[in-house]
Amino acid sequence: MGVDNLWAATEDCLLDEADSLGELLVRLRAKVPTALVGIAEFARLVDRAKDLPVTAAAFPFGFELPLHMDIPAADLGVSIVAGSKTAATFEEAGRVASSGSASAIARLLEETGRDGSPLGRVVGDRLVLEYDIESTPGRVHPDPGIFLYPDDAVLVGNGTRFDDAALVADAIASATECPFGEPELRLLRRVYRAMDASTSVRAVGAFPSRNSGIRLTVAGFRETKRVVEFLHGVGWPGDLPTVTSALSPLEQARAFAYLGVHFDLCPDGVGPTLGLSCYAAKQQWLHDIRHWTALLNGIDAQGHVVAEKLSALAAATGTETLFGRSGRLRLVRGIHHVKLVLAEDRIEQAKAYVFLLMVGMGPSADRQRPRA
């Protein structure tokens, strides 16, 4: 069965499992260690996810976990693939809303899923939503961050795809009402001049509720020295020796396969907050904790993590078969990447991005029901 058919069949299975992603999370509670997401914090995740379709679990979804904090909090991320049942749910919500983030998400899905779409040609058919989970219960939920993810071989830093990068940034800006004029365009061109052919723009997005500018991810760096040269080239206003001191020990320990750099394009330049993401292998969806041992030990040695959370990550990875109402389901849990967040001359945060994925294996995963 092809990947697209497998996703579609899994979406069908999940419709029998729960009425929302929030309800499914309740059933999966035992698979998320309380050291990582506490009882009250998990309840807030469920409250946010109850408005999301259960079919989203057919694609990677998961949690942003602050490893540097004693509080076991988490934010939520979901993936959407154009043409799926999940996408259709968001598109319908967007038509009903007619404005706001729901409408923006729907427009992007419709555009990337349309045959011959210039935007779809660049970014493919995947969109990711990042939900900030409010620490105060009962507050109005902020709009999610919206991100498009070109394949790593598309927006490469050889200077030939700048117009395509600008197209993606403009699409995100239009969807989120984030400023993207001549100052940001000049800054994006500066970013491209600082890149080389071994790096590429891997994500373009924005958080409408944060007013922080267009967020870029440039990845493919394999050496600390090259990251520092790139940041100098784009004019990051922070302390470059701090970047070196954070990454060099990890590089020496061979704790990562490559690095990603996350920063904001603002009207007056690159924002001061910097994310440094470490990927343990070329493959990004790793469900074996052994891939991450060297990296986690490295950031632990630097004093950036809570020890209890670090040990709990091992219990948040792996694969197993569950028996649901639709039959057998494979649950895959792992770590996508680990990020250090710098502000000027200090490391402020360390985060793990863990994912979950459901794969239908029972009788209903072998055939698709008629679409409504």
Side-chain angles (χ1 to χ4, degrees), residues 255-272:
F256 58 79
Y258 68 94
L259 300 162
V261 178
H262 313 258
F263 54 91
D264 297 321
L265 299 182
C266 305
D268 55 351
V270 172

Side-chain angles (χ1 to χ4, degrees), residues 51-79:
D51 296 328
L52 304 177
V54 66
T55 53
F59 310 97
F61 71 101
F63 311 124
E64 177 187 303
L65 303 173
L67 301 179
H68 59 287
M69 295 172 51
D70 289 319
I71 298 173
D75 289 329
L76 175 68
V78 300
S79 306

Side-chain angles (χ1 to χ4, degrees), residues 27-363:
R27 296 180 59 189
L28 296 174
R29 178 60 179 114
K31 310 301 178 182
V32 183
T34 55
L36 297 177
V37 186
I39 295 173
E41 291 78 9
F42 196 83
R44 287 194 281 276
L45 280 173
V46 169
D47 180 64
R48 188 66 188 90
K50 70 182 182 183
D51 296 328
L52 304 177
V54 66
T55 53
F59 310 97
F61 71 101
F63 311 124
E64 177 187 303
L65 303 173
L67 301 179
H68 59 287
M69 295 172 51
D70 289 319
I71 298 173
D75 289 329
L76 175 68
V78 300
S79 306
I80 312 171
V81 173
S84 65
K85 280 185 169 63
T86 305
T89 301
F90 279 93
E91 289 168 7
E92 178 59 28
R95 285 189 287 269
V96 172
S98 74
S99 64
S101 64
S103 177
I105 293 165
R107 291 198 306 273
L108 285 172
L109 287 170
E110 290 170 353
E111 175 63 17
T112 56
R114 181 170 55 82
D115 289 342
S117 161
L119 182 62
R121 173 180 54 81
V122 179
V123 301
D125 57 5
R126 184 165 69 102
L127 182 149
V128 173
L129 303 178
E130 298 189 12
Y131 294 88
D132 291 334
I133 304 301
E134 291 294 305
S135 59
T136 304
R139 292 185 61 179
V140 175
H141 298 307
D143 289 336
I146 304 175
F147 287 80
L148 296 171
Y149 280 78
D151 184 76
D152 58 7
V154 177
L155 297 181
V156 294
N158 58 12
T160 63
R161 303 298 292 270
F162 171 77
D163 290 343
D164 286 336
L167 171 70
V168 180
D170 184 64
I172 286 290
S174 298
T176 60
E177 299 183 358
C178 182
F180 186 70
E182 283 300 320
E184 292 84 0
L185 194 61
R186 286 196 296 270
L187 187 54
L188 180 60
R189 192 177 295 279
R190 184 175 182 178
V191 168
Y192 247 77
R193 285 200 297 265
M195 294 167 59
D196 61 31
S198 68
T199 60
S200 61
V201 175
R202 302 285 179 87
V204 183
F207 290 91
S209 62
R210 298 186 190 178
N211 297 317
S212 56
I214 296 290
R215 172 70 56 85
L216 285 188
T217 299
V218 176
F221 303 98
R222 288 174 170 78
E223 296 179 320
T224 300
K225 178 179 69 173
R226 185 65 193 99
V227 172
V228 172
E229 291 171 350
F230 171 77
L231 292 173
H232 176 74
V234 301
W236 179 59
D239 184 63
L240 293 176
T242 301
V243 175
T244 299
S245 64
L247 293 181
S248 288
L250 302 177
E251 181 182 350
Q252 292 169 9
R254 297 183 179 180
F256 58 79
Y258 68 94
L259 300 162
V261 178
H262 313 258
F263 54 91
D264 297 321
L265 299 182
C266 305
D268 55 351
V270 172
T273 301
L274 178 73
L276 298 172
S277 284
C278 301
Y279 299 86
K282 182 177 181 180
Q283 178 186 352
Q284 294 185 7
W285 307 100
L286 300 171
H287 53 77
D288 189 330
I289 192 64
R290 290 174 294 183
H291 289 291
W292 298 97
T293 302
L295 177 61
L296 296 175
N297 288 344
I299 62 174
D300 184 30
Q302 295 182 26
H304 301 317
V305 297
V306 175
E308 184 183 14
K309 289 189 174 184
L310 204 63
S311 58
L313 282 174
T317 60
T319 64
E320 61 184 297
T321 299
L322 306 178
F323 293 91
R325 298 164 186 165
S326 62
R328 295 178 302 146
L329 292 157
R330 174 72 71 181
L331 173 63
V332 184
R333 297 175 298 148
I335 300 174
H336 185 267
H337 66 281
V338 174
K339 180 193 292 184
L340 298 175
V341 180
L342 284 67
E344 298 180 345
D345 63 348
R346 64 191 183 278
I347 296 174
E348 287 195 333
Q349 303 173 39
K351 301 177 179 181
Y353 291 75
V354 302
F355 70 90
L356 299 87
L357 173 68
M358 306 288 286
V359 181
M361 300 172 63

